[in-house]
Amino acid sequence: MSAATATDLERYMLDLVNEERTSRGLNALVLDKVLNASADEHSLWMLENNVFSHTGVGGSTPTERMTAEGFDLSGSWRTAENIAAQSERGEDGLFDDVYDLHIALMNSTGHRENILMPELEVVGIGIQTGTYTYDSGTYYSVMITQNFAMTGGQTTPDIIGQNARTPDTTTTQPDSDAVLVGTATAENLVGTDADDRITGSGGNDILSGGAGTDTAVYVNDMSNYGLTISNGTVVIEDRSGGDGTDTLNSIEILEFAGSPFALNQFTNVSTLSDADMLAFCELYVAYFNRAPDSAGLLFWGSALAEGMSMEDIAEMFFDQPETQALYGGSSTTGDFVSAIYNNVYGRNPDPEGFEYWTSLIDGGILDQSAVILAMIDGAKAVSGSAADAQYLETKAEIGAYYAVVNGLNNIEVANTAMQTFDGTIASIVGAKGIIDDHAALVDSAQGTEFTMSVTGLVEDALDWI
């Protein structure tokens, strides 16, 4: 049995996780030494092999890695894993990077569900650093693995020193001389080179952060606000009117009623081309069979813009509970392929295509997690079906209209709009009508839904309807 005692960084991440859980009435998790070892080794393996995946050494799954370290999964048990990475940035030290990665995980639906899974009891956290090569270059990076579990078996708690990080090292608490508070009138508030906290306090303000990791502070719940992203500039509107409409420059974090939101994890999406965004929407609707929620689309779209590959994102999507619920219940390879055909192409498989894809999977040539992306590419290839490509492109346009143009996040409406589409013009009109009605409702009501739209990107989605 391997065991590892958590570092201060790992205990800090535990504190962040437990703050999220206890604030929602859930139990705090306890660090487990065996899970710490499992998580540490996977983070190190990903760095050393330049891989970002839940599939680890020797093709292992997260559960296999936990049990290989000696974790006792007896009786009733459950496991889950989160992974995250970013190049080191911001101020000296790594606490700010760990905080950024925690916020990124909480802003991702599947990762947040793992963190807030009610039945969990223990967690192992592995934080490793080293060079990692992205599409955009090689950078010194922080790699994080979280191994979650509940079990009827024995655990090895790592309790001594838990919550040991002292307040004076907390990177989210800025110096008092970096706090700017405006008045109820329109103002131009400019920060310093420190980590500023800027509060507009009403009026239509311009908030500029400067060189540090800067936070714009808002008093209301985030569901009252709408963001518009355009070429690095963000406009935020308080639909209740209290905070006005502000223009943000060089602001990395938003704070709504005391809760932080990592804005810098979303804004790079505006650098994508229309073609890249539509291709990414195709990936989203193919894996989830619904319109994207804007928060998820913009988060992963920013990751794509920053160099994460479509293949890596596709693998992450395949591991999400939503995708597994859609495809994971397929009892045979044929059922799995048929489900993809119906969700991606809107039809049953033809015999030749069915034989082709099932043979690739059964022959071990293509892993299930990569099949959906491969079938998207197949539809758009010269040898592919124009009808299939058009069907998928229209679904992507519906998704882009929902998430990028209107910035909507309601998952139920995202599902309803996409399920309305059946390939006919009438169904496209129907889906667009559902989206328009919901957007109008959100725009007219306070506290309904946080929105994040992007201007200058796929603005012509569904404008032919």
Side-chain angles (χ1 to χ4, degrees), residues 6 34 45 75 100 107 113 134 172 175 177 189 224 229-230 254 281 307-308 358 362 373-374 427 432 448:
V34 176
W45 180 85
D100 285 348
N107 285 331
E113 288 176 353
Y134 307 83
T172 55
D175 297 332
D177 61 355
L189 300 176
N224 285 282
I229 300 171
S230 177
L254 301 178
C281 285
M308 192 172 187
T358 55
D362 289 338
L373 179 59
S427 69
K432 185 175 185 294
T448 303

Side-chain angles (χ1 to χ4, degrees), residues 1 10 48 106 129 142 146 149 213 254-255 374 380 399 415-416:
M1 176 185 293
E10 290 160 352
E48 290 178 342
M106 286 300 296
T129 58
V142 182
Q146 297 172 330
T213 300
L254 301 178
E255 184 178 295
K380 296 189 292 184
N415 270 304
T416 301

Side-chain angles (χ1 to χ4, degrees), residues 267-343:
T267 51
N268 282 339
V269 70
S270 63
T271 64
L272 292 176
S273 67
D274 283 1
D276 286 340
M277 175 51 79
L278 283 174
F280 191 53
C281 285
E282 289 176 347
L283 184 78
Y284 221 101
V285 300
Y287 275 79
F288 301 124
N289 198 31
R290 62 168 171 83
D293 54 298
S294 69
L297 185 72
L298 271 55
F299 172 79
W300 289 108
S302 289
L304 181 68
E306 292 166 6
M308 192 172 187
S309 71
M310 195 80 87
E311 290 76 15
D312 284 344
I313 295 174
E315 183 171 355
M316 297 287 287
F317 279 8
F318 190 75
D319 289 332
Q320 298 301 309
E322 195 173 355
T323 308
Q324 288 300 306
L326 190 62
Y327 295 108
S330 303
S331 58
T332 66
T333 302
D335 290 341
F336 176 68
V337 170
S338 294
I340 299 173
Y341 263 87
N342 279 280
N343 290 334

